[in-house]
């Protein structure tokens, strides 16, 4: 079985985070409702709300299969400034 790594906060500043997004994770929920249910445990924004207890506002997207770093504001105002 394939192990799915978890997102990780690489750096936290007052108004934003730098987050490692593993491959096979969505940044935002997919549009299709069935896909949302099927992939609910690998949606970055949901993970941060449910597990980390923080709402994040990603500034950019990374494709589902892509791993990498992304920037997220800790408020919509902070995200719009980035």
């Amino acid at each position: 079985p394939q192990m799915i790594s978890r997102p990780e906060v690489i750096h936290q500043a007052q108004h934003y985070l730098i987050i490692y997004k593993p491959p096979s994770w969505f940044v935002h929920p997919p549009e299709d409702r069935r896909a949302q249910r099927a992939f609910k445990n690998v949606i970055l924004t949901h993970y941060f709300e449910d597990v980390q207890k923080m709402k994040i506002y990603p500034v950019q997207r990374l494709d589902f299969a892509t791993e990498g770093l992304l920037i997220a504001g800790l408020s919509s105002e902070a995200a719009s400034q980035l």
Side-chain angles (χ1 to χ4, degrees):
Q2 181 182 4
M3 296 289 292
I4 298 175
S5 61
R6 300 279 177 218
E8 182 179 339
V9 174
I10 302 299
H11 176 75
Q12 182 168 354
Q14 183 177 359
H15 299 290
Y16 69 89
L17 302 173
I18 305 293
I19 300 168
Y20 164 72
K21 185 199 88 64
S24 302
W25 277 72
F26 290 96
V27 174
H28 297 282
E31 291 184 20
D32 180 271
R33 294 275 184 212
R34 288 187 307 199
Q36 286 180 23
R37 286 190 299 275
F39 292 104
K40 69 179 180 179
N41 293 325
V42 291
I43 299 171
L44 193 75
T45 51
H46 290 180
Y47 173 81
F48 273 87
E49 285 182 31
D50 296 343
V51 176
Q52 301 293 332
K53 305 299 183 208
M54 63 173 53
K55 184 149 178 72
I56 62 168
Y57 299 83
V59 174
Q60 86 272 17
R61 294 176 183 254
L62 293 175
D63 290 339
F64 176 75
T66 303
E67 76 176 312
L69 299 178
L70 63 91
I71 300 170
L74 294 172
S75 68
S76 59
E77 298 81 20
S80 70
Q81 298 283 320
L82 296 171

